[in-house]
Amino acid sequence: MQVPVILLEFDGVLVTTPIWRPVELLADGFMKFNEKAAGNLNRIIELTGAELILTTTHRITYGIDEWCRLLATRGIRAPRISKINEAATISAMSKRAAEIEAWVTKCGVKNYVVIDDDSSINGLPDFIKNRFVQTKPMLGLDDESARKALGILRSRIN
């Protein structure tokens, strides 16, 4: 049986600071997460055993070991954390929707959910779009979004 996967963006999902306010940084120098959103993500991971694939542009900032520490500091403990691809610079990245489509096509994983606030993902094929939870940027991964994500990860895979 395949382990569920969460393809995860941070901005607008875990970081919900309005654009007119400075983002609060923790002692480790990285952004503070919305506590409710982080709690909802942690609950999804606990209930499903899902692994995290970082789709966020911030993924290039740190290596996987450091991401594990940063996320654990914020209460998120996934069994495995990886990056959507090997891009190491902003210029090496494609648009997020294209990266997600390439990952889904390449990896063949069927039980996944995309959690992001980027509406361009709605332009992807239905088999991906149907596994997308679009958050509201200033709410992030709220209870409603978390329920939808859980429903997707627990649904039967065709």
Side-chain angles (χ1 to χ4, degrees), residues 14 26 28 33-35 37-46 52 67-78 81:
L14 296 173
L26 295 185
D28 56 22
F33 290 168
N34 172 309
E35 290 180 19
N40 279 332
L41 176 62
N42 208 42
R43 186 169 55 89
I44 294 167
I45 292 167
E46 287 173 358
L52 294 180
W67 277 121
C68 291
R69 281 191 300 278
L70 286 167
L71 293 172
T73 297
R74 288 153 180 81
I76 299 166
R77 289 172 177 76
I81 299 169

Side-chain angles (χ1 to χ4, degrees), residues 110-143:
K110 301 287 187 221
N111 193 10
Y112 66 92
V113 64
V114 178
I115 305 175
D116 201 316
D117 69 334
D118 184 351
S119 61
S120 73
I121 295 167
N122 282 311
L124 291 175
D126 285 346
F127 71 94
I128 297 172
K129 187 170 56 174
N130 292 340
R131 304 195 73 77
F132 171 46
V133 174
Q134 185 173 1
T135 59
K136 295 176 182 123
M138 294 200 313
L139 293 178
L141 187 60
D142 61 2
D143 293 342

